[in-house]
Amino acid sequence: MKRKNAKKRGITLPKHLEHLNRYTAGIDIGSRSHFVAVPEGTDEKPVREFSTFTGDLERLADWLIACGVTTVAMESTGVYWIPVFELLEARGLEVKLVNARHVKNVPGRKSDVLDCQWLQQLHTYGLLQGAFRPADEVCTLRAYVRQRSTLVRSAASYIQRMQKALAQMNLQLHHAVTDITGTTGMRIIKAILGGERNPDTLASMRDPRCRNSQATLARALKGTYRPEHLFSLQQAVELYQFYQTKIADCDRQILDQLTSFDESPADVPPPTVGDALLRMSGVDLTCIDGIDTTTALKVLAEIGTDMSRWKSSKHFASWLGLSPGTKVSGGKVLSSATKPVANKAAQALRMAAFTLFNSKSALGAYLRRQRARLGAPKAITATAHKLARLIYAMLTHGRAYVDAGQEYYEERYRSRVIQNLKRKAQELGYELVTMQKTATA
């Protein structure tokens, strides 16, 4: 019989309750000031406020180093975190950028001081995961590529303004040519701004490759030339050409940045962006159906070439937001929708998948099969998921992609269906027999 006053055994804390990071700091990012919290006992005033000026940020870094802080956690608030992140990282501190939705404080206790203390407490116990941020040279390339995308969107808005001005004058140029900024369209628009009003003369500027005839163009170019609409058209054309010039400047800057990734600078610099991407990654991503040079540039500018940041292709697809979600309660699947993420690489892959509807490749056949089964939106996401896994495999193992073709995919799908039918027939006590084709007289 055990004695009632037996000595209690010692209880050890589980690992998730042990202090993993003793010298941590939490920063609540703001537009005017940042609130910083350090562990109790490292300073008489463990919570301080610093302004966003560069000198104050340097004092912040000096104070953290004086307190013995080795790792810092901060929220990704707008773009205000970038100067702090870069300065602290340059000082040798480990900086983790965390999602604001993952560090929500207890409701009813919301303040800047409490937020930075809550960040510091969570980071002390190792409960925060840092967001993905590529290497510094990849970040520079990413900034150039994103700037180019912004310029392209701005230029596209002025194409719409050009089309609006033409429609207000009842010039149906967009119905006669495929692209009003093409060879024929710009030639005619510049002639109109130069004072030409004769529809036949304008239609004679048609490029021989234009689909519509000269007579059709002449009918479309008969309208009312009002001065206010001509003024709007002229300004839209000038701004469109201005943005095209800036896009060309951005392309040259991107090519120069891609050249810095080449490990053999003595060689001849790559003449095109496609050649530079091949040297940077070691594989040709444009071999994958649906991925062109622009898409490959956007993806590599967002993720870089170091795929060791993700454990597997499944982790990579999940980070992109292309994997099915898991929302199960009581053994019932409530939802399997993908998580909402603002990932530019995933957007580029979805656009690449959208172009495969008429492709005769294996990926095109897969997209059409999934569209018939799931619908177009989910089929595009599933195909983008497959593209992401192909890119991960190519960058990880350095192997080229070889398209098996539509026929190979259809044959594999047919064999899988037959195997499933045979299994089901055997479970029900039947046997699946191949029908013999009878010769016709």
Side-chain angles (χ1 to χ4, degrees):
M1 183 177 178
K2 296 182 179 180
R3 293 190 305 174
K4 294 182 180 181
N5 296 328
K7 186 177 181 181
K8 295 182 179 179
R9 298 180 180 179
I11 301 176
T12 58
L13 290 175
K15 290 185 177 181
H16 68 276
L17 291 181
E18 295 177 359
H19 283 63
L20 301 180
N21 303 310
R22 293 186 179 274
Y23 299 99
T24 63
I27 303 179
D28 183 68
I29 301 295
S31 60
R32 293 181 176 272
S33 63
H34 308 315
F35 286 83
V36 187
V38 296
E40 294 285 347
T42 57
D43 191 81
E44 296 180 357
K45 190 178 180 181
V47 179
R48 293 189 181 186
E49 181 183 6
F50 293 89
S51 179
T52 56
F53 298 118
T54 303
D56 296 300
L57 296 183
E58 292 176 350
R59 289 195 302 105
L60 186 155
D62 295 336
W63 181 60
L64 291 178
I65 294 174
C67 293
V69 172
T70 58
T71 177
V72 182
M74 64 177 65
E75 293 182 355
S76 54
T77 306
V79 296
Y80 306 119
W81 60 270
I82 297 178
V84 190
F85 186 98
E86 294 176 346
L87 192 145
L88 295 180
E89 196 175 43
R91 291 292 191 94
L93 297 175
E94 179 190 4
V95 188
K96 286 192 175 184
L97 184 69
V98 298
N99 193 331
R101 288 182 293 182
H102 298 167
V103 293
K104 286 185 177 179
N105 205 341
V106 181
R109 300 179 65 245
K110 171 66 178 173
S111 69
D112 295 331
V113 175
L114 291 174
D115 282 347
C116 66
Q117 290 178 328
W118 180 246
L119 279 171
Q120 190 271 333
Q121 183 179 352
L122 291 177
H123 193 32
T124 298
Y125 292 103
L127 299 177
L128 298 179
Q129 293 182 352
F132 169 77
R133 181 175 170 86
D136 187 63
E137 59 272 11
V138 180
C139 289
T140 305
L141 175 63
R142 183 178 64 180
Y144 291 142
V145 173
R146 290 182 177 180
Q147 172 66 12
R148 186 185 187 278
S149 300
T150 303
L151 294 175
V152 170
R153 287 194 299 269
S154 300
S157 68
Y158 286 103
I159 296 177
Q160 296 173 335
R161 296 173 188 269
M162 291 163 57
Q163 185 171 332
K164 177 183 178 181
L166 291 171
Q168 287 175 328
M169 294 184 290
N170 201 27
L171 299 176
Q172 305 295 327
L173 182 60
H174 59 284
H175 289 159
V177 297
T178 305
D179 183 11
I180 64 173
T181 59
T183 303
T184 301
M186 291 303 295
R187 192 181 298 168
I188 292 174
I189 290 175
K190 289 180 179 179
I192 291 174
L193 295 176
E196 184 61 52
R197 300 293 182 267
N198 191 340
D200 295 327
T201 304
L202 294 173
S204 64
M205 300 177 184
R206 163 185 172 272
D207 190 89
R209 295 170 294 178
C210 188
R211 181 180 303 175
N212 290 318
S213 63
Q214 184 173 339
T216 304
L217 272 174
R219 291 175 57 197
L221 293 173
K222 186 177 181 180
T224 56
Y225 295 92
R226 295 179 62 88
E228 64 271 22
H229 300 325
L230 288 171
F231 178 75
S232 299
L233 177 63
Q234 181 177 3
Q235 286 204 327
V237 170
E238 291 175 354
L239 288 170
Y240 170 75
Q241 292 175 339
F242 171 78
Y243 277 109
Q244 291 300 313
T245 304
K246 296 305 175 184
I247 291 173
D249 295 340
C250 198
D251 288 338
R252 287 190 290 269
Q253 197 69 30
I254 289 173
L255 185 58
D256 293 341
Q257 181 63 23
L258 286 172
T259 307
S260 64
F261 289 91
D262 195 356
E263 297 180 356
S264 53
D267 296 341
V268 179
T272 62
V273 173
D275 296 332
L277 289 176
L278 181 60
R279 293 189 184 183
M280 172 186 175
S281 60
V283 291
D284 188 6
L285 296 181
T286 58
C287 292
I288 304 176
D289 299 280
I291 296 183
D292 56 2
T293 303
T294 304
T295 304
L297 176 62
K298 290 181 179 179
V299 173
L300 290 178
E302 293 294 329
I303 67 174
T305 57
D306 182 16
M307 306 305 290
S308 62
R309 305 286 294 272
W310 298 276
K311 297 179 181 179
S312 65
S313 59
K314 294 182 180 180
H315 289 81
F316 178 59
S318 177
W319 174 78
L320 289 171
L322 299 175
S323 296
T326 303
K327 190 175 182 182
V328 182
S329 179
K332 181 180 179 181
V333 179
L334 301 179
S335 175
S336 59
T338 56
K339 61 182 180 181
V341 294
N343 196 304
K344 297 184 183 299
Q347 295 174 4
L349 292 178
R350 281 192 170 95
M351 291 297 296
F354 180 77
T355 64
L356 293 172
F357 276 113
N358 297 323
S359 175
K360 302 299 181 183
S361 61
L363 288 171
Y366 174 79
L367 175 62
R368 290 187 292 273
R369 181 77 62 185
Q370 296 299 323
R371 179 180 61 178
R373 189 172 68 92
L374 302 172
K378 292 183 180 179
I380 291 174
T381 301
T383 308
H385 179 274
K386 188 175 286 291
L387 291 175
R389 298 186 65 155
L390 289 173
I391 291 175
Y392 181 89
M394 292 179 66
L395 294 177
T396 303
H397 305 291
R399 293 180 297 194
Y401 171 75
V402 179
D403 179 32
Q406 178 180 351
E407 293 78 8
Y408 174 76
Y409 175 81
E410 295 293 347
E411 182 61 30
R412 285 191 59 188
Y413 176 76
R414 182 175 179 274
S415 63
R416 288 198 304 269
V417 172
I418 292 175
Q419 287 298 118
N420 291 335
L421 289 176
K422 287 182 178 179
R423 188 183 70 254
K424 290 181 179 179
Q426 187 176 6
E427 291 175 355
L428 296 174
Y430 293 93
E431 182 181 357
L432 193 66
V433 180
T434 305
M435 294 179 60
Q436 298 293 334
K437 294 183 179 179
T438 58
T440 57

